[in-house]
Amino acid sequence: MIGPLRGLTTRGRCLVAAGVAAAVCALVLDERDLLRVAVLLVALPVLTALLLGLARLRLQVSRDVLPRTLSVGAPAEVHLTLHAGGRLPVAGLLLTDTVPTVLGEEPRYAVGALATGTSASVVYGLAPRVRGRHALGPAEVRVADPLGLVELVRRLPGTTTVLVRPRLLELTGLPGSLLDAAETGGAPSGSGATRQDVQDSLVRPYRTGDDLRSVHWRSSARRDELMVRPQEQSRRTGTVVLLDVRGAAHHGLGAHSTLERAICLAASAAAHLARHDRTVRLVTSDGRDLGSGESALDQLALLTPAGGSSLAGAAEVAGHDELLAVLGTLDVAGAQLLVGATATAGPGRAVVLGADGPGATLLRDAGWGVLLATDRTPLPLVWDQLCGARSAVAQPVGGAW
């Protein structure tokens, strides 16, 4: 069957087949009444199909997604409006919208009858599970006659693109400044360095012309000579969150890969620090400065793994700011680059989403606060450990994801 007859349902095809069979029997038996019944059986579905096919459905669809910005794990709603613009009313509409599986299930609604110039609205929910750019639509309507003999499918043009940002976790607490820890005589939280090691890395002997206001009196008294804290170290203006995007440094697939966990933690940490009046910059390991705020989250939504296995692009990203690094697997070469990048700002903090190794050990020896997080470590617990005592940071923590 071609044209409108392709919309015949199983019931409609059965009527046509029964009509043809009845017509053959009527001719063989020379029964005119049976022939009339055969004509009726064939004509009913065929005429219904022709009428629906010639109706020329003129339907338009529009979508409004709320909230405007989507995040992984945050529910959203889509308000879909169907408008009838043809000359004839339509009835028996079944509406389906195309939704990617990573956003939820495809909704199906029975709209009923639509008079010319009227609209019908439906609301369905989204449950984003994967960050990125996704398309909703096109929508599809099925029109059926009251007897269920014919069903026509029309695909309505028009799609709506939505951007899903990484999940933002609810974090509590703030990691103290490593520089402040040295000034107050305490070891930096989460590091394996002693107080003396940190002070030694942050001060140098007094030189002629140095400002006396930069003298570090505690270190001077201990060494019996004037020691100063370099001026550039005292000008920390904020925090740089370094996100390791090297594909070779991460493992796992999809939403449960270490790369996705790193993106989630880095985005959450940057947003959390910004809410507490910290100046934050989000920088990737290949040297891209994503900035902060809404723009950084939009860029993170579309972030893809970078090639190569070197952290050379991350060198000198900190400047005078503290560095908080969210890393995958870390080798010695990468650790040396990070230590060199923070020579001016002083030791930073790092979350390593991989196995312990020489790289993490080198960072600890340089005065960094290092936390090892297994694949089963809940990310809020990772942050709590990073802000907590050094005894908790020295060993990996576990738990149900």
Side-chain angles (χ1 to χ4, degrees):
M1 296 182 180
I2 59 175
L5 298 184
R6 288 180 300 182
L8 287 177
T9 63
T10 301
R11 181 182 299 176
R13 288 188 171 93
C14 289
L15 281 182
V16 171
V20 172
V24 172
C25 293
L27 293 175
V28 172
L29 301 175
D30 193 21
E31 289 286 342
R32 293 186 178 183
D33 292 337
L34 183 58
L35 183 60
R36 294 188 184 96
V37 173
V39 172
L40 177 62
L41 291 176
V42 174
L44 186 60
V46 171
L47 291 177
T48 303
L50 291 175
L51 288 175
L52 284 181
L54 296 176
R56 291 188 179 183
L57 300 178
R58 293 184 180 179
L59 300 173
Q60 296 178 337
V61 65
S62 61
R63 299 176 189 83
D64 190 17
V65 183
L66 299 175
R68 302 295 181 183
T69 57
L70 305 185
S71 299
V72 173
E77 287 185 345
V78 178
H79 295 252
L80 188 147
T81 302
L82 186 65
H83 179 74
R87 295 183 178 181
L88 297 176
V90 290
L93 288 177
L94 180 63
L95 176 64
T96 304
D97 201 12
T98 303
V99 177
T101 55
V102 295
L103 296 184
E105 298 181 354
E106 288 191 347
R108 304 186 70 179
Y109 291 94
V111 177
L114 274 181
T116 301
T118 62
S119 300
S121 297
V122 297
V123 179
Y124 65 88
L126 296 179
R129 298 194 298 271
V130 177
R131 63 182 178 85
R133 182 178 284 121
H134 309 282
L136 300 175
E140 187 178 86
V141 293
R142 296 176 180 267
V143 185
D145 67 289
L147 298 178
L149 303 178
V150 181
E151 183 180 75
L152 298 182
V153 179
R154 293 288 184 268
R155 184 162 290 225
L156 307 181
T159 59
T160 302
T161 301
V162 295
L163 187 66
V164 180
R165 294 172 172 176
R167 183 197 303 266
L168 292 183
L169 304 171
E170 292 292 334
L171 304 179
T172 58
L174 293 172
S177 169
L178 295 173
L179 182 61
D180 294 341
E183 291 175 344
T184 57
S189 174
S191 74
T194 64
R195 177 180 64 189
Q196 179 176 340
D197 293 334
V198 175
Q199 289 180 347
D200 288 344
S201 66
L202 297 178
V203 297
R204 61 168 174 79
Y206 176 84
R207 299 171 186 167
T208 303
D210 284 339
D211 191 343
L212 289 177
R213 289 175 297 181
S214 64
V215 173
H216 194 274
W217 298 108
R218 185 183 298 274
S219 297
S220 299
R222 182 172 55 82
R223 295 194 178 192
D224 200 21
E225 64 173 323
L226 285 180
M227 303 296 293
V228 298
R229 186 177 68 234
Q231 185 175 4
E232 55 268 22
Q233 290 186 354
S234 64
R235 289 193 285 112
R236 288 182 170 180
T237 58
T239 302
V240 169
V241 178
L242 174 64
L243 173 60
D244 187 357
V245 296
R246 300 171 297 158
H250 294 279
H251 62 271
L253 298 174
H256 299 291
S257 66
T258 56
L259 176 60
E260 294 301 320
R261 285 167 56 81
I263 292 174
C264 178
L265 180 58
S268 301
H272 178 67
L273 293 173
R275 285 194 297 267
H276 287 80
D277 298 326
R278 297 279 188 97
T279 302
V280 182
R281 286 189 299 130
L282 192 56
V283 180
T284 61
S285 57
D286 55 356
R288 287 176 289 171
D289 191 340
L290 306 184
S292 61
E294 303 293 321
S295 174
L297 292 176
D298 288 343
Q299 294 179 75
L300 285 178
L302 303 175
L303 196 65
T304 57
S309 58
S310 174
L311 283 173
E316 300 180 359
V317 296
H320 302 298
D321 297 336
E322 284 186 319
L323 184 62
L324 172 60
V326 183
L327 308 169
T329 302
L330 182 65
D331 55 14
V332 173
Q336 289 174 340
L337 285 172
L338 291 178
V339 172
T342 56
T344 298
R349 294 172 184 262
V351 175
V352 179
L353 300 173
D356 196 2
T361 302
L362 193 152
L363 287 184
R364 292 193 194 96
D365 294 341
W368 280 58
V370 180
L371 172 66
L372 301 176
T374 67
D375 293 344
R376 296 178 58 84
T377 307
L379 292 181
L381 179 59
V382 172
W383 180 261
D384 291 342
Q385 295 286 351
L386 191 67
C387 299
R390 63 178 178 179
S391 59
V393 178
Q395 298 178 357
V397 290
W401 168 247

